[in-house]
Amino acid sequence: MRALAAAVSRAAAASLAVTGLAFAQAPGTPPPPYADLLAQSPAADWRALDPESTLYFDLPAGRVVIELAPNWAPAAVTAVRKLVREGYFDAAVVLRAQDNYVVQWARPEDDPKAKAMQAVKLAPEFFRKMAGAPAFTRLSDPDTYAPEVGFSEGFPMARDPARGEAWLAHCYGAVGVGRDTGLDTGNGAELYVVIGQSPRNLDRNVTLIGRVVQGIELLSVMPRGPAPMGFYAKKEQWVAFRGVKVAADMPAGTRTNLEALRTDSATFKAVIASRAHRREAWFAEPGGRIGVCNVPLPVREARR
Amino acid sequence: MRALAAAVSRAAAASLAVTGLAFAQAPGTPPPPYADLLAQSPAADWRALDPESTLYFDLPAGRVVIELAPNWAPAAVTAVRKLVREGYFDAAVVLRAQDNYVVQWARPEDDPKAKAMQAVKLAPEFFRKMAGAPAFTRLSDPDTYAPEVGFSEGFPMARDPARGEAWLAHCYGAVGVGRDTGLDTGNGAELYVVIGQSPRNLDRNVTLIGRVVQGIELLSVMPRGPAPMGFYAKKEQWVAFRGVKVAADMPAGTRTNLEALRTDSATFKAVIASRAHRREAWFAEPGGRIGVCNVPLPVREARR
């Protein structure tokens, strides 16, 4: 363990306790310079999550916090928020965990409300027009799947100027609405979260509504289902939620108050550069390139 | 759950029971055409794993099977194989699980043999010369990190013709040797497995020795460590192996006999095409592109 547990590394790494930060720490390396970037960042480079667009999915193991993307899937976000407020997900269970792919939850198929939802259609929001879209911080390196990739309002995304369209990207932690073959069948009653290698082939094929900003590790460790596509074979394997809420509906004292680094800030651009060009002593080659699903999206507890 | 659990989908998906196959099944889609490709593939397109280059890491929850890559990291493969045969890993424990990154194991740092290994150096094998390298099946789509990407001998890899160098890529399931800052400190006594978004910035910075071909889901569900970098905070959280063996050293009847699709076969090229161009009815856009870490590398129980 010599390569990993030097006291100096552990102590220095302790300064990295940034909530929900999924960063790529090299095996055995000291903490990256960007930890300093975050520590030294001005308060104005951070934004509090909007309680109206923040969902809590409370599992027995703890809280999963999802930030919604109302500017990217307004109808689906509205639909999911409404279902949460109606208590729809209070009876939902995690019924699928497929390795290197997704965790998914829904009401059981024999649930009366689940059956009623089968008739509800919702127009797809697989992409939106670039015109009028929020600020975009573009990455310069090539992407396998899209002409341009970058970040907007805290979300990894892609766009195609030739089509004039932009869309959220299926990176780790992305939250989407499951659908059947019909494009309008994704009504928000079933949600999935990416827990593996980014399945970017799903981009533009399904509506993403946001991303997990805290607690993804509660989902990613769920035992993989033995049935095809990772479904659990027995009801006993389902995991129920203890409660599902819109943050705005919770008393202020019971909320998980988070703030996210603005992806149009100077600090975030420095984060991108620091992750693309690895200057830490551990690296033999600094690289110089970075993919859209490999850039950390820092979230931390709100300062008071 | 209507979008997911239609009986027809479940039944059809059952035909996909290919061992260890990490494929990207769209949420709610019927099984992809490539399942038929595999079922109809000629036997000659498959190869039995070489028992001398197959390791079993037996956890309480089951067996993790690793295929070694002797043509890509000959010295490290030899070193790890030797350590396995000496029983070195019988006293190793999983001591780190960092979400969206790696699971890592080693002997505890106060173990006498672990201390002795600190003096053992091994020249890095971060890449090799392209000249004389095994057959390469190239992907045509751009990669963020390397000039060329593809597959060789069952492993995802990258290469740079300008340098005349090739290397294994850090995709999901990749197995590497942890190292300290010194480039020759990765002696094989500590191993890590990628369990999240491909950390391609590690390419050319650390020696990869192979990949997990079965049982990755036993590692990817391990509770994430609460200490910095995903280390477990208490010894009680460590997970010991029940046994670690080279397959060749096991009686034939106790081996896990697997065969892998040859990555230079016509079937594999058809698999790539089928995953890049999604023809299933579920897909609104077939895509047409595929990344090196998104191509499934089919492995199945050997036919008798």
Side-chain angles (χ1 to χ4, degrees):
Chain A
M1 198 159 54
R2 84 218 174 295
L4 300 164
V8 60
S9 290
R10 284 186 183 258
S15 68
L16 276 177
V18 177
T19 305
L21 179 60
F23 76 95
Q25 174 78 17
T29 190
Y34 94 92
D36 294 335
L37 288 175
L38 298 186
Q40 296 161 8
S41 61
D45 281 0
W46 297 78
R47 60 182 174 85
L49 299 196
D50 175 7
E52 189 69 14
S53 289
T54 304
L55 304 182
Y56 301 149
F57 283 82
D58 287 344
L59 290 162
R63 174 166 290 177
V64 176
V65 182
I66 292 172
E67 182 177 23
L68 298 169
N71 285 321
W72 296 91
V77 162
T78 298
V80 170
R81 195 189 281 123
K82 181 165 173 283
L83 287 170
V84 170
R85 287 189 160 136
E86 291 171 356
Y88 186 84
F89 291 106
D90 293 342
V93 295
V94 177
L95 40 74
R96 177 189 187 191
Q98 183 171 353
D99 198 60
N100 192 20
Y101 197 41
V102 296
V103 163
Q104 191 154 346
W105 58 81
R107 283 197 180 220
E109 59 183 343
D110 58 358
D111 178 281
K113 288 189 180 176
K115 289 181 179 172
M117 281 301 291
Q118 292 183 28
V120 178
K121 307 298 182 192
L122 191 66
E125 296 170 304
F126 302 164
F127 49 83
R128 58 156 288 164
K129 293 227 179 294
M130 276 174 61
F136 181 71
T137 299
R138 189 178 166 193
L139 291 180
S140 56
D141 300 317
D143 178 73
T144 301
Y145 293 89
E148 296 184 1
V149 289
F151 303 89
S152 185
E153 299 193 312
F155 300 100
M157 45 165 296
R159 62 185 196 178
D160 184 348
R163 295 188 187 206
E165 294 166 354
W167 56 94
L168 299 181
H170 275 83
C171 294
Y172 195 86
V175 181
V177 295
R179 70 166 172 86
D180 208 335
T181 302
L183 303 187
D184 60 357
T185 57
N187 56 31
E190 301 175 24
L191 300 177
Y192 66 90
V193 175
V194 173
I195 58 157
Q197 175 68 20
S198 47
R200 296 281 307 285
N201 60 313
L202 297 181
D203 288 3
R204 298 179 58 89
N205 278 296
V206 63
T207 301
L208 289 177
I209 57 166
R211 75 177 186 97
V212 174
V213 292
Q214 184 174 292
I216 182 77
E217 74 281 2
L218 306 177
L219 297 171
S220 58
V221 301
M222 287 195 169
R224 306 324 190 209
M229 295 163 54
F231 281 95
Y232 292 127
K234 300 173 182 176
K235 291 185 178 183
E236 292 71 27
Q237 295 169 298
W238 291 349
V239 179
F241 294 100
R242 292 190 305 143
V244 179
K245 294 288 183 188
V246 178
D249 300 343
M250 302 280 283
T254 63
R255 292 184 195 160
T256 301
N257 291 304
L258 300 175
E259 56 187 21
L261 187 64
R262 294 180 188 276
T263 49
D264 58 352
S265 68
T267 298
F268 184 67
K269 287 164 191 168
V271 163
I272 293 172
S274 77
R275 303 313 283 173
H277 307 275
R278 300 298 291 255
R279 304 300 185 199
E280 304 94 307
W282 186 89
F283 280 82
E285 294 205 17
R289 292 171 172 243
I290 188 84
V292 68
C293 293
N294 285 101
V295 174
L297 293 162
V299 173
R300 67 184 184 190
E301 288 183 28
R303 304 295 161 91
R304 297 173 191 264
Chain B
M1 197 159 56
R2 85 218 173 296
L4 300 164
V8 60
S9 290
R10 285 185 183 257
S15 69
L16 277 176
V18 177
T19 305
L21 178 61
F23 75 95
Q25 173 79 16
T29 190
Y34 94 93
D36 295 334
L37 288 173
L38 298 186
Q40 296 160 7
S41 61
D45 281 0
W46 297 79
R47 61 184 174 84
L49 299 195
D50 175 6
E52 189 69 14
S53 289
T54 304
L55 304 181
Y56 301 150
F57 284 82
D58 287 343
L59 290 163
R63 175 167 289 176
V64 176
V65 182
I66 292 172
E67 182 177 23
L68 298 169
N71 285 322
W72 295 93
V77 162
T78 298
V80 170
R81 195 190 279 122
K82 182 165 174 281
L83 287 170
V84 169
R85 286 188 159 136
E86 291 171 356
Y88 187 84
F89 291 107
D90 294 342
V93 294
V94 177
L95 40 75
R96 177 188 187 191
Q98 182 171 352
D99 198 61
N100 192 19
Y101 197 42
V102 297
V103 162
Q104 191 153 346
W105 58 82
R107 283 196 180 222
E109 60 183 342
D110 58 358
D111 178 280
K113 288 190 180 174
K115 288 181 181 174
M117 281 300 291
Q118 292 183 26
V120 178
K121 306 299 182 192
L122 191 65
E125 297 171 303
F126 303 164
F127 49 84
R128 60 155 288 165
K129 294 229 178 293
M130 275 174 62
F136 180 72
T137 298
R138 188 177 167 195
L139 291 181
S140 57
D141 301 316
D143 178 73
T144 301
Y145 293 89
E148 295 185 1
V149 290
F151 303 89
S152 185
E153 299 193 313
F155 300 100
M157 45 164 296
R159 63 184 196 180
D160 183 347
R163 295 187 186 206
E165 294 166 353
W167 56 94
L168 298 181
H170 275 82
C171 294
Y172 195 87
V175 182
V177 295
R179 68 166 172 88
D180 207 337
T181 303
L183 302 187
D184 61 356
T185 57
N187 56 31
E190 302 175 23
L191 300 177
Y192 66 88
V193 176
V194 173
I195 57 157
Q197 175 69 20
S198 49
R200 296 281 308 284
N201 60 312
L202 297 180
D203 287 3
R204 298 177 60 89
N205 277 296
V206 64
T207 301
L208 289 177
I209 58 166
R211 75 177 187 96
V212 174
V213 292
Q214 184 174 292
I216 182 76
E217 73 281 3
L218 306 177
L219 298 171
S220 57
V221 301
M222 287 196 169
R224 308 322 191 208
M229 295 163 55
F231 281 95
Y232 292 127
K234 301 174 183 176
K235 291 184 178 183
E236 292 71 26
Q237 296 169 297
W238 291 349
V239 179
F241 294 101
R242 293 190 305 143
V244 179
K245 295 287 183 191
V246 179
D249 299 344
M250 302 280 283
T254 64
R255 291 183 197 163
T256 301
N257 291 305
L258 300 175
E259 56 187 22
L261 187 64
R262 293 181 189 275
T263 48
D264 57 353
S265 69
T267 298
F268 184 67
K269 287 163 190 168
V271 163
I272 292 172
S274 78
R275 302 313 284 174
H277 307 274
R278 301 298 291 255
R279 303 301 185 198
E280 305 94 308
W282 186 88
F283 280 83
E285 294 205 17
R289 292 170 171 242
I290 188 84
V292 68
C293 292
N294 285 101
V295 174
L297 292 162
V299 173
R300 66 184 184 190
E301 288 184 27
R303 305 293 161 93
R304 296 172 191 266

